[in-house]
Structures are given as C-alpha cells and as structure tokens.
Amino acid sequence: MELLSHLNPTEPRVTVYNETRGSRVEFSAVTLSNWAAKVAGMLRDECDLLPGDSIALDVPHDWQEIVIALGATAAGITYGEPRGDEEVALLGVDKQSTAPTQIIVGDDPLGAPLPDDQLPPGALDFSTTVRMYPDAFPEPTPNLEKPGSPTKRIVRASADSCAQALDQLATGGAIVIVRGEASDERFAHIATVEHVDAW
C-alpha cells in the first residue's frame, strides 16, 4: 500500500504512553499500514462504503484513531466529528450516535476485544471486526507524503489532534502520544527516553 511508502518501514512512527494503565506501545510504518489496510477493508466490505462516503469518528486520540483515519484515507472515505447524518460511526465506549452502523472502539492499549457489557445492542466491536480483514488492501491508495520540515520526533499530550499525528507522518516525522495525567517532569523523562526533538 502506497499510503506510507515514503517512510522507513521499520522505524517507530507512533508511540503511545498510557499513564493511567502504565503501558507503552509503538508502531512502525509497516504495522500502521497493515492496520490501515484492515480498516479500509472493513469500511468497504463490512460497512458497504464507497469512495466519497463519510464516517463519523469520535474515539480517544490514540493509535486506533490514527489507523482508522489512515484506513479511511486509503479507501477514499472522509472522516470527522459526528454530524448526525452519517450511516457509519466509529465511537469510543462512552460516545453515542444515531448512525445505523455503530462500531465501538475500546480503550485497551493493545486493542483487546470489548467486554460484553461495553458493547451496545446491535453495535460491532472494532477489535474483533477489523481483525477479520487482510493486511493488504487490493486497490491503489494515495501516498500521504507532502513537503514540509517535520520535527523528527515530537511528544504531545493526548488532547492534541489526530491531524497533527498525520502531518508528522506525511512529512516524514514521528509522534509520541502521552495519555492520562503526566507532570512536566514525566513529559521531560519521556522526551529523553524517546529521543524526541520537541515537546
């Protein structure tokens, strides 16, 4: 898939610290591309969406939000905050929508399936649904590369936007996301450990 083909395939590109859970996960361009291909396949086949369609995306700023955005882009599908008229909504466990198709995205650092009591009636579990799709998307995809001078590795709080992470990827950079409460000292420590250029 051409989406992230401008990046070194094995370098860490998205790293997520979850301070509440005490976890750290990282994703290379290859891993991000594999997840994006799964998402693109799910949106096309499970949700019957076509290029030009749109989805509502209202999930925590985490690696799952990023791979959903990448997968939607690969499939030619737009995404954004819920407007109320979408046919498909991907939602965090505490979000609501009137979309006919609702896919619930859990908050487990590794994307584990949701407990039954967190899945509303009729909704799909993102974790179990997306894993059924292959790591390759059979259609041509755009390349996200764009000119710019990225900060090679930046660390940001989880309140920052998915768009910032995608901009980093598009211009050849990487991002470290810190979720949960973290002091300035903790941010500084993470910045040192991760060899970031800015925070």
Side-chain angles (χ1 to χ4, degrees), residues 3 21 25 35 54 69 83-84 88 121 145 190 199:
L3 204 64
R21 294 176 177 262
V25 292
W35 276 100
S54 64
R83 300 188 311 268
V88 176
E145 184 176 16
I190 291 172
W199 62 285

Side-chain angles (χ1 to χ4, degrees), residues 176-192:
V176 179
I177 299 166
V178 181
R179 297 193 56 196
E181 294 294 326
S183 65
D184 288 345
E185 291 77 12
R186 177 61 175 161
F187 267 102
H189 173 73
I190 291 172
T192 299

